[in-house]
Amino acid sequence: MGETTQHALLLLLCLSGLVHLSDAFVFWTAEVGISYAENDNKTVDKRCECGVFGRNSPLEGVEGVVQLPTRDPEGCGLNPGYKRNANLSAWIALVKRGNCTFSEKINIARRLGAVGVVVYNADGTGDSTTHMSHTGTGDTVAIMIGNSQGLEVLNLVENGTNVFMTIKVGSPHGPWMDTYWLYFLSIAFFIVTAASIAYFGFISANRLYSMRQQKSFDRRLKSEAKKAISRLQLRTLQRDDEETMSDSHMCAVCIESYRVGEVVTVLTCDHIFHKPCIEPWLLERRTCPMCKCDILKALGIDDESKESISDHSPEEVTVITVAGGEALYDVPLTGPASTDPERQHRYDNRAYEEDTEAARD
Ligand SMILES: [Zn+2]
Ligand SMILES: [Zn+2]
C-alpha cells in the first residue's frame, strides 16, 4: 500500500527531526568540588553537581587552584589580571559571565595556561546556568556554575583563601534522559501511532464497505437480470421460420445458424439468440450483444428497483414486443399480439402465458 510507506516515512522524518533537535538539548552536568583550609586550619570540602559543561568543552575532569582576573572580573580584554604563581602546576580561572563572548574569556585564560575555565552566571540569576556555546576553545575544559556558587568561591579567593577546585564529569541530561521529555515523546509517539492506526482502520473499513456495497449491487443486478430473462419471449424455431430457411441468420454469440427445433430468446430489441447462448451473457451484461439495448431498462426493471415499487410493474405490456422492433407498450393484450400471421410465434415462456392469462381475466 502506497499510503503505508508514505506514513512510515513521515513518522521516520518526525522522529529523526526530534533526535536531531535533541542533540542540541543534551548537556552534561559537572560535579564541582572545592577544598580549602579555614582559619583554624580545618579543611573544608564542599561538593555539588551544580556545573554544566560547555557545548564545545571536552568531557573531562580537571583540577587546580582557583585564580581570579583582578582587573576585570569578567575576564575580558588583553590582560584581565590573573595572578599567576610559578609554583602552581595547574590553575582554574573563575570568571563572571558578560562583557565579552564565552570563547574570548576561555581563550584568554587558556593562553595564560589555565587548565579549565569556570564561568559563573550574571548577578541576580541565582543558581541557574546555561549551556554555553564557545567554539574554537580547543581542549580547555569549560563549565558554567550558578551566580551564588560563583560568588561563594569568589569571596573565599578574594579574602586570600587558597581554594582548590575539582571538576568531574557528572551525568547527561536532555530529551532522552529527562522524564518530562520521555513522557512527552511517548505521548507524541502514541498519538501518531494511534492516528495512523485509526486512519488505516477507517480506510480499510471504507474499502470493505464499498466492496460489500458493490457485491450486493452486483447480486441485485444479477437477480434483476434473472427476472428480466424470465420475462423475455422464447420461441421454438419451426421448419417454415425465416431464421431456419436462410444461413444468413445466425446466433451472434455462438456464430452458428439456427436449426429447426432450437429454442431462441427474443430480446426487447427483437434480436434473437439461442436460449443457452444468450442467458449467461445477459446474466453478466444485461445488454443485447448486437445493439447494446439494455433489457433491464427496456423491461422497466431498472426503474422498478430504484423506486422499489413492486406493484408498479408493466409486466403485461412489456412482453408483447413482437413486431417491428418497437416496444409496443400500448398493444392491447386481449387482441392478437400481431396481425401479421408470419409474426405469430408459439411461446413456451410459462411466465408469459401466465401473464397473458392473468391479463385476459
Ligand atoms: Zn448460439
Ligand atoms: Zn438487439
Side-chain angles (χ1 to χ4, degrees):
M1 209 190 278
E3 286 150 355
T4 322
T5 3
Q6 262 179 21
H7 272 247
L9 273 174
L10 203 75
L11 197 72
L12 217 71
L13 211 73
C14 284
L15 284 177
S16 77
L18 276 172
V19 168
H20 195 74
L21 198 73
S22 73
D23 264 357
F25 288 124
V26 175
F27 62 90
W28 286 75
T29 53
E31 207 185 290
V32 183
I34 50 170
S35 170
Y36 58 92
E38 272 191 330
N39 298 335
D40 49 356
N41 269 348
K42 269 189 183 167
T43 309
V44 179
D45 278 305
K46 281 187 179 174
R47 195 161 293 277
C48 66
E49 201 181 319
C50 47
V52 171
F53 272 89
R55 234 168 266 231
N56 311 90
S57 165
L59 286 173
E60 285 168 15
V62 282
E63 52 184 35
V65 177
V66 176
Q67 293 290 309
L68 306 172
T70 45
R71 253 175 241 144
D72 177 12
E74 279 145 345
C76 301
L78 279 173
N79 187 6
Y82 286 106
K83 268 193 253 163
R84 279 177 295 154
N85 189 328
N87 299 332
L88 295 173
S89 52
W91 62 280
I92 291 172
L94 179 71
V95 291
K96 192 178 178 180
R97 184 185 188 173
N99 208 20
C100 58
T101 64
F102 293 127
S103 299
E104 283 174 83
K105 288 180 210 284
I106 294 163
N107 274 329
I108 288 162
R110 177 165 81 117
R111 265 181 244 121
L112 295 171
V115 291
V117 178
V118 177
V119 181
Y120 64 94
N121 214 344
D123 292 330
T125 54
D127 289 341
S128 76
T129 52
T130 58
H131 194 198
M132 291 189 295
S133 182
H134 49 90
T135 47
T137 53
D139 56 0
T140 311
V141 170
I143 66 162
M144 187 180 227
I145 58 173
N147 180 261
S148 46
Q149 290 111 10
L151 288 181
E152 189 189 339
V153 181
L154 180 90
N155 288 333
L156 285 166
V157 178
E158 275 183 342
N159 291 337
T161 313
N162 209 20
V163 180
F164 190 79
M165 186 179 269
T166 320
I167 297 171
K168 284 181 183 163
V169 179
S171 51
H173 290 260
W176 304 105
M177 298 83 190
D178 210 60
T179 38
Y180 166 77
W181 270 95
L182 263 178
Y183 275 127
F184 173 78
L185 279 179
S186 46
I187 287 168
F189 187 79
F190 173 78
I191 288 171
V192 170
T193 312
S196 303
I197 289 172
Y199 178 71
F200 289 135
F202 174 74
I203 294 272
S204 314
N206 221 21
R207 274 197 194 146
L208 205 74
Y209 178 73
S210 60
M211 247 163 67
R212 272 194 191 157
Q213 287 279 93
Q214 186 62 39
K215 248 184 202 165
S216 87
F217 183 70
D218 287 348
R219 229 180 292 133
R220 217 185 63 209
L221 273 184
K222 219 160 228 178
S223 87
E224 278 170 5
K226 253 183 215 163
K227 212 197 281 177
I229 289 166
S230 75
R231 290 187 198 168
L232 291 170
Q233 297 167 233
L234 295 175
R235 271 169 60 197
T236 304
L237 294 175
Q238 304 297 303
R239 193 166 293 281
D240 51 353
D241 280 345
E242 73 172 290
E243 286 88 354
T244 56
M245 305 230 276
S246 140
D247 275 352
S248 63
H249 292 276
M250 48 172 76
C251 167
V253 181
C254 66
I255 332 270
E256 300 235 352
S257 322
Y258 296 109
R259 297 200 181 114
V260 176
E262 280 178 335
V263 179
V264 294
T265 304
V266 185
L267 299 198
T268 51
C269 53
D270 238 19
H271 284 124
I272 70 165
F273 307 91
H274 287 123
K275 181 178 183 284
C277 292
I278 195 65
E279 283 189 350
W281 172 284
L282 287 179
L283 219 52
E284 283 305 318
R285 310 187 192 201
R286 303 165 296 277
T287 54
C288 169
M290 308 262 290
C291 67
K292 309 275 183 237
C293 157
D294 189 327
I295 60 160
L296 290 188
K297 268 189 194 144
L299 292 173
I301 289 173
D302 207 18
D303 300 335
E304 251 178 59
S305 61
K306 267 178 206 150
E307 293 161 15
S308 67
I309 301 165
S310 54
D311 52 351
H312 176 67
S313 159
E315 261 177 291
E316 304 83 11
V317 280
T318 47
V319 205
I320 317 303
T321 50
V322 182
E326 282 175 58
L328 304 176
Y329 289 111
D330 49 355
V331 167
L333 280 160
T334 40
S338 168
T339 44
D340 185 356
E342 280 185 353
R343 281 282 174 190
Q344 289 276 337
H345 302 296
R346 215 187 69 201
Y347 304 108
D348 24 10
N349 186 337
R350 214 187 284 160
Y352 168 73
E353 280 168 9
E354 275 165 17
D355 287 343
T356 36
E357 266 164 36
R360 279 193 190 109
D361 288 343

